[in-house]
Amino acid sequence: MSADAQLSARMDPACPMAAFPFHVGGKWTGMVVVALLDGPRRFGHLRQVLGVSSAKVLTETLRDMARDGLLTRTDHQANPPHVTYELTDLGRSLLPVIDAMREWSDQHLADLLAHRQNHSLATESDAAPTPSSPPK
Amino acid sequence: MSADAQLSARMDPACPMAAFPFHVGGKWTGMVVVALLDGPRRFGHLRQVLGVSSAKVLTETLRDMARDGLLTRTDHQANPPHVTYELTDLGRSLLPVIDAMREWSDQHLADLLAHRQNHSLATESDAAPTPSSPPK
DNA sequence: CGGCATCCTATGAGATACTG
DNA sequence: CAGTATCTCATAGGATGCCG
């Protein structure tokens, strides 16, 4: 399975960052890591795959990550411009943590969202029995 | 080692969240989890241990966490007020992820900070040889 | 194509003062 | 003691337009 497919499958709107209790750096940092797992990628490619709206945001994310040694920026000095970004070992070192987040998400995110849902309805009325997730 | 001691030792200003590339929920969420590992704690206790300046911030954090089922709030109906917060199983389920973050921090945070430092000095001048961290 | 420059807005975070 | 009520401020995120 390609990293791009993983991205769509695991980090798509169905599992929104909004409810996700973990973040890596900025909003897009974690996704950039995943998107670069298969090798160098171009700016435009990242922009499409991540679905990042504004170019500015992606530029900032990538610059910060380069500054922190998480990836390298390669300007191929071509015209039209051709720039690629590639994960460093340090960048790849984030993967176990990201995977830990994903594993948590697989196992517990639905539970968290159920609690949140439940809470909106019955702020104090009854005991609000846990809607899903019987304790293992 | 108590969770409180862990808190001071591992999440103190010497390892500031500012440079820490991971976050759990809000700024204080992760620390609340760690602070509650040893059992229920009172509002004031949390406020002291975490060093959270404003009561509002802690209140918000705790309310959000309760809403998400990460902890429970118990009002002991006493005067003066006595309220305790206790982790749920769901709240405890965050621990492996937090530990993964800490492990990453132990192994790579210094490296990241070195890169960051280096980058401020030589934005483009020379090749900026990696200051520390020979590849493994 | 891969950016900057500019502007805008929502939100997080905190300070301070007050209350049951 | 455990909050609530306001207010401020900084920053992240995003929209749009221009440039080499």
Side-chain angles (χ1 to χ4, degrees):
Chain A
M1 188 184 196
S2 81
D4 289 351
Q6 276 187 49
L7 239 195
S8 329
R10 312 296 297 277
M11 283 186 170
D12 69 343
C15 173
M17 293 277 299
F20 201 62
F22 308 101
H23 310 276
V24 188
K27 180 173 180 178
W28 303 100
T29 311
M31 305 202 216
V32 169
V33 172
V34 176
L36 291 180
L37 282 182
D38 283 347
R41 289 290 183 268
R42 300 182 59 166
F43 184 90
H45 175 85
L46 291 174
R47 198 175 169 191
Q48 285 185 348
V49 178
L50 302 185
V52 56
S53 36
S54 173
K56 194 202 73 171
V57 176
L58 184 55
T59 305
E60 284 172 354
T61 302
L62 293 171
R63 238 193 326 199
D64 288 348
M65 292 179 72
R67 177 203 54 177
D68 288 350
L70 299 177
L71 49 77
T72 56
R73 178 183 184 276
T74 306
D75 189 338
H76 295 242
Q77 302 289 16
N79 197 312
H82 182 97
V83 179
T84 55
Y85 295 87
E86 183 169 15
L87 278 187
T88 61
D89 286 342
L90 183 58
R92 251 182 299 276
S93 76
L94 296 178
L95 197 56
V97 185
I98 294 175
D99 278 337
M101 293 178 181
R102 289 214 280 221
E103 194 178 349
W104 184 93
S105 176
D106 286 343
Q107 296 177 0
H108 304 289
L109 183 57
D111 200 358
L112 183 148
L113 292 175
H115 276 276
R116 187 176 294 188
Q117 196 73 21
N118 222 291
H119 203 89
S120 324
L121 312 175
T123 314
E124 94 298 355
S125 53
D126 58 0
T130 356
S132 59
S133 76
K136 186 167 193 183
Chain B
M1 189 186 196
S2 80
D4 289 351
Q6 276 187 47
L7 239 195
S8 329
R10 311 297 294 279
M11 283 185 170
D12 69 6
C15 173
M17 295 277 300
F20 201 62
F22 308 102
H23 311 276
V24 188
K27 179 173 179 178
W28 303 99
T29 310
M31 304 201 217
V32 168
V33 172
V34 176
L36 290 181
L37 282 182
D38 284 347
R41 290 290 184 267
R42 301 182 60 166
F43 184 90
H45 175 84
L46 291 174
R47 199 177 168 189
Q48 285 185 348
V49 177
L50 302 185
V52 55
S53 35
S54 174
K56 193 201 73 170
V57 176
L58 183 56
T59 305
E60 285 172 355
T61 302
L62 293 172
R63 244 201 317 226
D64 289 349
M65 292 179 72
R67 177 203 55 175
D68 288 350
L70 300 177
L71 49 77
T72 57
R73 177 183 184 276
T74 305
D75 189 338
H76 295 241
Q77 301 290 14
N79 197 312
H82 182 97
V83 180
T84 55
Y85 295 88
E86 182 168 17
L87 278 187
T88 61
D89 286 343
L90 184 58
R92 251 182 300 276
S93 77
L94 297 178
L95 197 56
V97 185
I98 294 175
D99 278 337
M101 292 177 182
R102 289 214 279 221
E103 194 178 348
W104 184 92
S105 176
D106 285 343
Q107 296 176 1
H108 303 289
L109 182 57
D111 200 358
L112 184 149
L113 292 175
H115 276 275
R116 186 176 294 187
Q117 195 72 22
N118 222 291
H119 203 90
S120 326
L121 311 175
T123 313
E124 93 297 355
S125 53
D126 57 359
T130 357
S132 57
S133 76
K136 182 179 191 182

